[in-house]
Short mmCIF file of all heavy atoms in Angstrom, two decimals:
data_model
loop_
_atom_site.label_atom_id
_atom_site.label_comp_id
_atom_site.label_asym_id
_atom_site.label_seq_id
_atom_site.Cartn_x
_atom_site.Cartn_y
_atom_site.Cartn_z
N SER A 39 -4.83 -12.59 -30.11
CA SER A 39 -3.94 -12.73 -31.25
C SER A 39 -4.07 -14.11 -31.84
O SER A 39 -4.28 -15.10 -31.11
CB SER A 39 -2.51 -12.47 -30.71
OG SER A 39 -1.58 -12.61 -31.70
N VAL A 40 -3.92 -14.18 -33.11
CA VAL A 40 -4.04 -15.44 -33.82
C VAL A 40 -2.65 -16.04 -33.98
O VAL A 40 -1.69 -15.39 -34.49
CB VAL A 40 -4.74 -15.30 -35.17
CG1 VAL A 40 -4.78 -16.56 -35.94
CG2 VAL A 40 -6.11 -14.75 -34.95
N GLY A 41 -2.45 -17.30 -33.63
CA GLY A 41 -1.24 -17.94 -33.98
C GLY A 41 -0.15 -18.07 -32.86
O GLY A 41 0.51 -19.14 -32.79
N HIS A 42 0.00 -17.09 -32.09
CA HIS A 42 1.01 -17.12 -31.01
C HIS A 42 0.43 -17.76 -29.74
O HIS A 42 -0.49 -17.20 -29.16
CB HIS A 42 1.46 -15.71 -30.64
CG HIS A 42 2.28 -15.05 -31.71
ND1 HIS A 42 2.94 -13.85 -31.45
CD2 HIS A 42 2.62 -15.37 -32.98
CE1 HIS A 42 3.58 -13.50 -32.58
NE2 HIS A 42 3.38 -14.44 -33.48
N VAL A 43 1.00 -18.87 -29.35
CA VAL A 43 0.57 -19.55 -28.11
C VAL A 43 1.88 -19.93 -27.35
O VAL A 43 2.75 -20.62 -27.97
CB VAL A 43 -0.33 -20.75 -28.42
CG1 VAL A 43 -0.64 -21.48 -27.06
CG2 VAL A 43 -1.60 -20.37 -29.12
N SER A 44 2.01 -19.63 -26.09
CA SER A 44 3.09 -20.00 -25.29
C SER A 44 2.56 -20.86 -24.14
O SER A 44 1.54 -20.50 -23.53
CB SER A 44 3.79 -18.77 -24.67
OG SER A 44 4.30 -17.95 -25.71
N VAL A 45 3.30 -21.99 -23.92
CA VAL A 45 2.93 -22.86 -22.79
C VAL A 45 4.11 -22.91 -21.86
O VAL A 45 5.26 -23.17 -22.25
CB VAL A 45 2.60 -24.31 -23.36
CG1 VAL A 45 2.34 -25.23 -22.12
CG2 VAL A 45 1.41 -24.31 -24.30
N ILE A 46 3.86 -22.56 -20.58
CA ILE A 46 4.91 -22.52 -19.56
C ILE A 46 4.58 -23.55 -18.53
O ILE A 46 3.50 -23.47 -17.91
CB ILE A 46 4.99 -21.09 -18.96
CG1 ILE A 46 5.02 -20.02 -20.03
CG2 ILE A 46 6.24 -21.01 -18.12
CD1 ILE A 46 4.86 -18.62 -19.53
N ASP A 47 5.42 -24.54 -18.36
CA ASP A 47 5.15 -25.68 -17.52
C ASP A 47 6.07 -25.62 -16.26
O ASP A 47 7.31 -25.79 -16.40
CB ASP A 47 5.36 -26.97 -18.26
CG ASP A 47 4.86 -28.19 -17.54
OD1 ASP A 47 4.68 -28.12 -16.28
OD2 ASP A 47 4.60 -29.21 -18.18
N ALA A 48 5.50 -25.43 -15.13
CA ALA A 48 6.24 -25.32 -13.87
C ALA A 48 6.87 -26.68 -13.49
O ALA A 48 7.87 -26.70 -12.79
CB ALA A 48 5.41 -24.79 -12.77
N ALA A 49 6.24 -27.80 -13.91
CA ALA A 49 6.79 -29.10 -13.62
C ALA A 49 8.14 -29.34 -14.30
O ALA A 49 9.01 -29.99 -13.74
CB ALA A 49 5.79 -30.18 -13.98
N THR A 50 8.29 -28.78 -15.49
CA THR A 50 9.56 -28.98 -16.29
C THR A 50 10.40 -27.72 -16.31
O THR A 50 11.54 -27.76 -16.83
CB THR A 50 9.24 -29.44 -17.72
OG1 THR A 50 8.51 -28.39 -18.35
CG2 THR A 50 8.43 -30.77 -17.77
N HIS A 51 9.89 -26.63 -15.83
CA HIS A 51 10.58 -25.33 -15.90
C HIS A 51 10.91 -24.92 -17.35
O HIS A 51 11.91 -24.30 -17.59
CB HIS A 51 11.83 -25.32 -15.04
CG HIS A 51 11.52 -25.22 -13.55
ND1 HIS A 51 11.36 -26.30 -12.78
CD2 HIS A 51 11.37 -24.11 -12.75
CE1 HIS A 51 11.05 -25.95 -11.58
NE2 HIS A 51 11.06 -24.62 -11.47
N GLN A 52 9.95 -25.25 -18.25
CA GLN A 52 10.14 -24.99 -19.68
C GLN A 52 9.03 -24.06 -20.17
O GLN A 52 7.88 -24.27 -19.79
CB GLN A 52 10.18 -26.24 -20.47
CG GLN A 52 11.41 -27.12 -20.22
CD GLN A 52 12.69 -26.43 -20.73
OE1 GLN A 52 12.80 -26.07 -21.86
NE2 GLN A 52 13.67 -26.30 -19.78
N MET A 53 9.46 -23.18 -21.07
CA MET A 53 8.46 -22.36 -21.80
C MET A 53 8.61 -22.68 -23.27
O MET A 53 9.72 -22.59 -23.81
CB MET A 53 8.77 -20.91 -21.50
CG MET A 53 7.90 -19.94 -22.23
SD MET A 53 8.27 -18.26 -21.73
CE MET A 53 6.97 -17.36 -22.55
N THR A 54 7.52 -23.07 -23.93
CA THR A 54 7.51 -23.33 -25.34
C THR A 54 6.67 -22.32 -26.03
O THR A 54 5.44 -22.21 -25.74
CB THR A 54 7.05 -24.75 -25.60
OG1 THR A 54 7.80 -25.69 -24.82
CG2 THR A 54 7.08 -25.11 -27.04
N VAL A 55 7.24 -21.62 -26.97
CA VAL A 55 6.57 -20.57 -27.71
C VAL A 55 6.27 -21.05 -29.10
O VAL A 55 7.18 -21.50 -29.82
CB VAL A 55 7.40 -19.25 -27.76
CG1 VAL A 55 6.69 -18.17 -28.48
CG2 VAL A 55 7.76 -18.83 -26.29
N THR A 56 5.02 -20.98 -29.52
CA THR A 56 4.65 -21.45 -30.87
C THR A 56 4.06 -20.34 -31.73
O THR A 56 3.45 -19.40 -31.21
CB THR A 56 3.69 -22.63 -30.85
OG1 THR A 56 2.46 -22.25 -30.24
CG2 THR A 56 4.25 -23.82 -30.00
N ASP A 57 4.15 -20.51 -33.00
CA ASP A 57 3.50 -19.63 -33.97
C ASP A 57 2.77 -20.51 -34.93
O ASP A 57 3.42 -21.30 -35.70
CB ASP A 57 4.57 -18.77 -34.70
CG ASP A 57 3.95 -17.71 -35.58
OD1 ASP A 57 2.72 -17.56 -35.59
OD2 ASP A 57 4.69 -17.04 -36.27
N HIS A 58 1.46 -20.52 -34.92
CA HIS A 58 0.61 -21.35 -35.78
C HIS A 58 1.04 -22.83 -35.61
O HIS A 58 1.11 -23.54 -36.59
CB HIS A 58 0.69 -20.90 -37.20
CG HIS A 58 -0.01 -19.62 -37.45
ND1 HIS A 58 0.70 -18.39 -37.35
CD2 HIS A 58 -1.28 -19.29 -37.66
CE1 HIS A 58 -0.09 -17.39 -37.51
NE2 HIS A 58 -1.35 -17.91 -37.78
N GLY A 59 1.23 -23.25 -34.39
CA GLY A 59 1.53 -24.65 -34.10
C GLY A 59 2.96 -25.11 -34.24
O GLY A 59 3.31 -26.18 -33.89
N GLN A 60 3.80 -24.22 -34.73
CA GLN A 60 5.21 -24.54 -34.93
C GLN A 60 6.05 -23.94 -33.75
O GLN A 60 5.95 -22.73 -33.53
CB GLN A 60 5.76 -24.06 -36.23
CG GLN A 60 5.05 -24.64 -37.43
CD GLN A 60 5.30 -26.05 -37.60
OE1 GLN A 60 6.47 -26.58 -37.52
NE2 GLN A 60 4.27 -26.83 -37.80
N THR A 61 6.84 -24.77 -33.08
CA THR A 61 7.70 -24.21 -32.03
C THR A 61 8.76 -23.29 -32.61
O THR A 61 9.47 -23.64 -33.51
CB THR A 61 8.38 -25.39 -31.26
OG1 THR A 61 7.34 -26.19 -30.65
CG2 THR A 61 9.33 -24.86 -30.17
N VAL A 62 8.82 -22.09 -32.05
CA VAL A 62 9.77 -21.11 -32.49
C VAL A 62 10.80 -20.79 -31.48
O VAL A 62 11.88 -20.26 -31.78
CB VAL A 62 9.11 -19.83 -33.06
CG1 VAL A 62 8.29 -20.08 -34.31
CG2 VAL A 62 8.23 -19.16 -31.96
N MET A 63 10.46 -21.01 -30.20
CA MET A 63 11.44 -20.74 -29.11
C MET A 63 11.14 -21.67 -27.93
O MET A 63 9.95 -22.03 -27.69
CB MET A 63 11.32 -19.33 -28.59
CG MET A 63 11.65 -18.24 -29.58
SD MET A 63 11.35 -16.58 -28.87
CE MET A 63 10.09 -15.96 -29.98
N THR A 64 12.14 -22.08 -27.21
CA THR A 64 12.03 -22.80 -25.98
C THR A 64 12.98 -22.24 -24.96
O THR A 64 14.12 -21.99 -25.24
CB THR A 64 12.36 -24.33 -26.14
OG1 THR A 64 11.49 -24.82 -27.22
CG2 THR A 64 12.14 -25.09 -24.88
N PHE A 65 12.39 -21.89 -23.77
CA PHE A 65 13.24 -21.26 -22.74
C PHE A 65 13.15 -22.01 -21.46
O PHE A 65 12.13 -22.72 -21.14
CB PHE A 65 12.73 -19.82 -22.48
CG PHE A 65 12.62 -18.94 -23.63
CD1 PHE A 65 11.44 -18.25 -23.89
CD2 PHE A 65 13.62 -18.73 -24.51
CE1 PHE A 65 11.29 -17.42 -24.98
CE2 PHE A 65 13.60 -17.90 -25.57
CZ PHE A 65 12.40 -17.24 -25.83
N THR A 66 14.10 -21.79 -20.59
CA THR A 66 14.07 -22.30 -19.20
C THR A 66 13.39 -21.13 -18.43
O THR A 66 13.73 -19.98 -18.60
CB THR A 66 15.52 -22.58 -18.68
OG1 THR A 66 16.05 -23.55 -19.55
CG2 THR A 66 15.43 -23.06 -17.27
N ALA A 67 12.48 -21.55 -17.50
CA ALA A 67 11.73 -20.51 -16.78
C ALA A 67 11.77 -20.78 -15.26
O ALA A 67 11.97 -21.96 -14.80
CB ALA A 67 10.31 -20.49 -17.20
N GLY A 68 11.54 -19.72 -14.52
CA GLY A 68 11.42 -19.83 -13.06
C GLY A 68 10.02 -19.36 -12.62
O GLY A 68 9.40 -18.59 -13.32
N PHE A 69 9.55 -19.81 -11.47
CA PHE A 69 8.23 -19.56 -11.04
C PHE A 69 8.14 -19.08 -9.61
O PHE A 69 9.24 -18.91 -8.94
CB PHE A 69 7.36 -20.85 -11.19
CG PHE A 69 7.25 -21.33 -12.58
CD1 PHE A 69 8.28 -22.14 -13.12
CD2 PHE A 69 6.22 -20.92 -13.40
CE1 PHE A 69 8.16 -22.55 -14.46
CE2 PHE A 69 6.11 -21.30 -14.69
CZ PHE A 69 7.06 -22.14 -15.26
N GLY A 70 6.93 -18.88 -9.06
CA GLY A 70 6.76 -18.38 -7.75
C GLY A 70 7.10 -19.42 -6.65
O GLY A 70 6.84 -20.58 -6.74
N LYS A 71 7.74 -18.88 -5.62
CA LYS A 71 8.19 -19.71 -4.44
C LYS A 71 6.96 -20.03 -3.56
O LYS A 71 5.89 -19.44 -3.78
CB LYS A 71 9.24 -19.00 -3.69
CG LYS A 71 8.81 -17.67 -3.06
CD LYS A 71 10.01 -16.95 -2.43
CE LYS A 71 9.59 -15.54 -1.92
NZ LYS A 71 10.80 -14.89 -1.34
N PRO A 72 7.08 -20.99 -2.64
CA PRO A 72 5.97 -21.28 -1.74
C PRO A 72 5.44 -20.02 -1.05
O PRO A 72 6.22 -19.16 -0.63
CB PRO A 72 6.64 -22.20 -0.70
CG PRO A 72 7.74 -22.85 -1.45
CD PRO A 72 8.28 -21.80 -2.39
N GLY A 73 4.12 -19.92 -1.07
CA GLY A 73 3.49 -18.74 -0.49
C GLY A 73 3.21 -17.65 -1.57
O GLY A 73 2.43 -16.74 -1.36
#
Side-chain angles (χ1 to χ4, degrees):
S39 178
V40 176
H42 289 189
V43 177
S44 299
V45 177
I46 312 171
D47 190 340
T50 62
H51 286 89
Q52 291 293 306
M53 177 177 187
T54 303
V55 181
T56 64
D57 187 7
H58 292 91
Q60 298 295 313
T61 299
V62 294
M63 295 177 244
T64 304
F65 305 129
T66 301
F69 297 86
K71 62 186 175 180

